[in-house]
Amino acid sequence: MPFLGQDWRSPGWRWVKTEDGWKRCEPFSPALEDGNNQLNDISHTVIITGDDENEEVYSTEDCEFAAKKRKKDHFRNNTDSQCFYREKWIYVHKESTRERHGYCTLGEAFNRLDFSSAIQDIRRFNYVVKLLQLIAKSQLTSLSGAAQKNYFNILDKIVQKVMEDQYNPRLIKDLLQDLSSTLCILIRGVGKSVLVGNINIWICRLETILLWQQQLKNLQMNKQVNNGLTLSDLPLHMLNNILYRFSDGWDIITLGQVTPTLYMLSEDRQLWKKLCQYHFAEKQFCRHLIPSEKGHIDWKLMYFALQKYYPIKEQYGDTLHFCRHCSILFWK
């Protein structure tokens, strides 16, 4: 069996059967494929330029070099070129081997994995946003230039999705706040070559982030008109059961602002006690006991106080998975 990839552990190329035989399927957009076909046609022709006295014949090798350069320029100029990967898994090699040189970087994983489709899945949306927030806090400078460009393109799609669906705008506001703070610090140290690209590009990106923040600040929730059963019509025990399903204290407070009944249920001491016991160990909240005026423990204040000192548990519907046996990072 012939090797189809650079490594015997590599999946190789994808091939499509046509009338003329088998052809390799490039993972590019249709617009790029048309451009590649035109470039390939040019590379197989002999171009003759100049006058009759000084005829200059370019060989096929020169044409192929020019075609490759045009492809590279086309990738750089195309804003969607960094999103042409649609792979659901990648092989993570941590060090160089005899079969394969180099290792898998964070930027390569971010470029190759299909994050554009992941943000459209409600089960993966919060996970992708949290991943972008972690990158914005500490790993933004480790990304390559293409990965940074891809990062902002995916962020643009996330903001547009939130503007259209009004889904979890608070999470995106926190992401943009962390990203703007990081960029302000990095732009000041641009003389140390901590950023990839021109300083004017990053100033433009920072202005775009400020524009996104302003749009999210002025976001108006669409009021749904429904003559059927509403949340307020549910019995108290069902409303209380819904509140006990939340794992974020801010979600409980936001829901408590809807009606006076939900506010009364959201102030339940037992609810906040269960939330503290879920996120934190007993030794942790025993160090930060906050008694109320009546002498009881104020579990609501304890939750937000402990949140400053210790990380809380995070829940996601679907995440990236890693197989330790074959070193594969993949979407399930």
Side-chain angles (χ1 to χ4, degrees), residues 175-194:
L175 166 61
L176 295 178
Q177 181 63 35
D178 294 336
L179 183 59
S180 61
S181 301
T182 303
L183 284 183
C184 289
I185 297 174
L186 294 178
I187 288 176
R188 294 171 188 170
V190 70
K192 301 178 182 179
S193 300
V194 294

Side-chain angles (χ1 to χ4, degrees), residues 50-227:
D51 300 331
D52 296 337
E53 297 179 355
N54 298 321
E55 288 187 353
E56 188 174 357
V57 181
Y58 292 92
S59 61
T60 57
E61 295 180 357
D62 297 333
C63 296
E64 290 178 358
F65 176 78
K68 289 180 180 179
K69 188 176 185 304
R70 290 182 60 185
K71 289 180 184 179
K72 185 181 294 186
D73 295 339
H74 188 65
F75 284 149
R76 291 177 178 176
N77 296 331
N78 189 4
T79 56
D80 297 331
S81 62
Q82 57 277 4
C83 299
F84 59 82
Y85 284 107
R86 293 293 181 267
E87 299 180 23
K88 295 187 177 181
W89 65 271
I90 61 171
Y91 175 74
V92 180
H93 48 289
K94 299 181 181 178
E95 57 185 8
S96 299
T97 61
R98 289 176 117 186
E99 298 85 4
R100 191 161 191 167
H101 299 284
Y103 56 92
C104 183
T105 62
L106 176 62
E108 182 183 357
F110 191 79
N111 276 339
R112 293 178 59 186
L113 289 173
D114 190 6
F115 284 96
S116 298
S117 300
I119 61 177
Q120 304 300 328
D121 192 341
I122 193 172
R123 299 171 301 172
R124 301 174 179 174
F125 181 81
N126 292 349
Y127 175 76
V128 175
V129 173
K130 188 64 177 180
L131 179 61
L132 264 64
Q133 188 175 9
L134 292 175
I135 294 176
K137 287 182 178 179
S138 60
Q139 300 295 328
L140 187 62
T141 55
S142 65
L143 298 180
S144 62
Q148 290 175 356
K149 196 173 182 181
N150 193 18
Y151 180 94
F152 282 93
N153 277 351
I154 294 178
L155 185 59
D156 184 19
K157 294 181 181 180
I158 290 176
V159 174
Q160 298 304 323
K161 178 178 175 60
V162 173
M163 296 295 296
E164 295 175 1
D165 302 341
Q166 291 90 34
Y167 177 73
N168 208 345
R170 178 172 56 85
L171 188 63
I172 313 303
K173 291 179 181 179
D174 295 340
L175 166 61
L176 295 178
Q177 181 63 35
D178 294 336
L179 183 59
S180 61
S181 301
T182 303
L183 284 183
C184 289
I185 297 174
L186 294 178
I187 288 176
R188 294 171 188 170
V190 70
K192 301 178 182 179
S193 300
V194 294
L195 294 174
V196 179
N198 195 305
I199 183 62
N200 296 325
I201 297 177
W202 288 99
I203 294 177
C204 181
R205 288 174 177 173
L206 184 58
E207 293 176 352
T208 304
I209 293 173
L210 297 177
L211 178 61
W212 288 338
Q213 288 178 323
Q214 188 65 30
Q215 291 176 352
L216 292 174
K217 185 179 180 180
N218 300 330
L219 180 63
Q220 298 292 333
M221 296 295 180
N222 297 330
K223 188 175 181 180
Q224 297 182 357
V225 179
N226 190 359
N227 298 327

Side-chain angles (χ1 to χ4, degrees), residues 5 21 34 44 63 67 79 119 153 170 174 202 209 240 245 254 263 278 283 287 294 314 319:
D34 296 338
H44 291 290
C63 296
T79 56
I119 61 177
N153 277 351
R170 178 172 56 85
D174 295 340
W202 288 99
I209 293 173
N240 196 38
R245 301 285 180 178
T254 304
Y263 175 77
Y278 173 75
K283 294 181 180 180
R287 299 174 184 174
K294 299 181 180 179
E314 298 177 355
T319 63

Side-chain angles (χ1 to χ4, degrees), residues 253-306:
I253 293 178
T254 304
L255 186 60
Q257 297 174 353
V258 177
T259 60
T261 303
L262 289 172
Y263 175 77
M264 178 190 65
L265 294 175
S266 65
E267 295 294 324
D268 184 18
R269 290 180 58 253
Q270 191 66 21
L271 171 65
W272 290 98
K273 181 180 179 180
K274 292 288 186 182
L275 195 63
C276 289
Q277 292 175 346
Y278 173 75
H279 287 288
F280 312 105
E282 185 176 356
K283 294 181 180 180
Q284 293 175 344
F285 58 75
C286 284
R287 299 174 184 174
H288 305 275
L289 292 177
I290 303 177
S292 61
E293 297 178 355
K294 299 181 180 179
H296 302 291
I297 299 177
D298 195 335
W299 293 102
K300 182 178 179 180
L301 291 179
M302 272 196 59
Y303 170 80
F304 290 103
L306 293 171

